[in-house]
Amino acid sequence: DAGVTQSPTHLIKTRGQQVTLRCSPKSGHDTVSWYQQALGQGPQFIFQYYEEEERQRGNFPDRFSGHQFPNYSSELNVNALLLGDSALYLCASSLVTGKSGEQYFGPGTRLTVT
Amino acid sequence: AQSVSQHNHHVILSEAASLELGCNYSYGGTVNLFWYVQYPGQHLQLLLKYFSGDPLVKGIKGFEAEFIKSKFSFNLRKPSVQWSDTAEYFCAVTLNTGGFKTIFGAGTRLFVKA
């Protein structure tokens, strides 16, 4: 049973560029959430996708956008990268019918913006 | 605004010492509560969760946590820590607002001396 997978593992981009990160949820899960974890901080909720739609969003600018595909996998896109976007980006999957909101996390993508 | 506060950023203990990590949240509605752990080089993984019933919950590896609704707290405890408990611990609160939105604390780095 594959857990949550993310690609790529590491990425280096230049200010102003655009980046796409990918996530495959745990088998059987239908909901994907994305988080940004800056160094020394806890994960910050970016948004959540279910049925290919954004259901919840945290306090992130429109430069952060996402997509969910029919197979439940998801992408996180960040436009016009800033130095402050350097962080570990985590994907978490869950079941929308799950009572507790328990999530399973992937290993993350380390994004460095220079 | 909803928030989660973890009282200690760094904790150093000797093996066999008792552990208590504090967590308080600010949200007046119904919440589900979690402690996640991140061992060095590994993914975030669930340690324990509470969403209803007995406010004292037990998790993996001898950890437990107590939900005190009147204090908006969900403190993590372990009677006797081991060197292998060295990790970063995150308290998280999930709000059901039409979808699950999870807010994490900043984390507590625990170092257990052998």
Side-chain angles (χ1 to χ4, degrees), chain B residues 1 23 26 29 33-34 43-44 46 52 55 70 73-74 89 93 97 99-100 109 114:
Chain B
C23 173
S26 64
L33 299 157
F34 302 85
H43 307 182
L44 267 175
L46 182 68
S52 65
S70 60
S73 70
F74 190 55
Y89 294 82
V93 170
T97 55
F100 289 112
R109 285 186 180 272

Side-chain angles (χ1 to χ4, degrees), chain A residues 12-18 79-86 112-114:
Chain A
I12 300 174
K13 289 286 189 179
T14 304
R15 262 185 311 177
Q17 286 188 317
Q18 178 264 344
N79 293 323
L81 284 166
L82 303 174
L83 294 179
D85 295 331
S86 294
T112 301
V113 182
T114 62

Side-chain angles (χ1 to χ4, degrees), chain B residues 21-81:
Chain B
L21 301 182
C23 173
N24 286 88
Y25 64 93
S26 64
Y27 182 67
T30 301
V31 296
N32 297 326
L33 299 157
F34 302 85
W35 278 95
Y36 286 89
V37 60
Q38 188 165 29
Y39 297 103
Q42 296 188 25
H43 307 182
L44 267 175
Q45 56 186 281
L46 182 68
L47 198 55
L48 47 77
K49 64 186 178 187
Y50 171 83
F51 54 92
S52 65
D54 188 345
L56 184 63
V57 292
K58 296 191 184 298
I60 60 172
K61 303 186 180 185
F63 285 90
E64 65 179 30
E66 185 176 13
F67 171 49
I68 303 179
K69 190 174 181 180
S70 60
K71 294 185 177 180
F72 298 90
S73 70
F74 190 55
N75 293 352
L76 180 71
R77 299 195 291 250
K78 185 171 184 178
S80 175
V81 294

Side-chain angles (χ1 to χ4, degrees), chain A residues 25-98:
Chain A
K26 179 179 167 62
S27 177
H29 282 184
D30 54 14
T31 302
V32 173
S33 301
W34 286 92
Y35 295 84
Q36 180 194 67
Q37 187 176 14
L39 206 59
Q41 297 184 22
Q44 300 290 311
F45 177 76
I46 302 174
F47 42 54
Q48 181 183 81
Y49 275 83
Y50 170 67
E51 290 190 331
E52 303 178 48
E53 290 189 0
E54 184 183 290
R55 300 181 78 213
Q56 292 272 338
R57 190 177 181 93
N59 294 327
F60 280 81
D62 292 344
R63 297 187 297 110
F64 289 77
S65 63
H67 188 75
Q68 187 179 34
F69 298 94
N71 67 352
Y72 307 119
S73 67
S74 177
E75 288 182 348
L76 164 66
N77 299 293
V78 186
N79 293 323
L81 284 166
L82 303 174
L83 294 179
D85 295 331
S86 294
L88 180 68
Y89 288 85
L90 297 170
C91 170
S93 72
S94 57
L95 270 173
V96 74
T97 54

Side-chain angles (χ1 to χ4, degrees), chain B residues 80-112:
Chain B
S80 175
V81 294
Q82 302 173 317
W83 176 80
S84 58
D85 293 324
T86 294
E88 188 156 19
Y89 294 82
F90 294 93
C91 179
V93 170
T94 294
L95 319 174
N96 190 347
T97 55
F100 289 112
K101 174 181 175 180
T102 301
I103 301 169
F104 281 80
T108 298
R109 285 186 180 272
L110 171 66
F111 179 72
V112 180

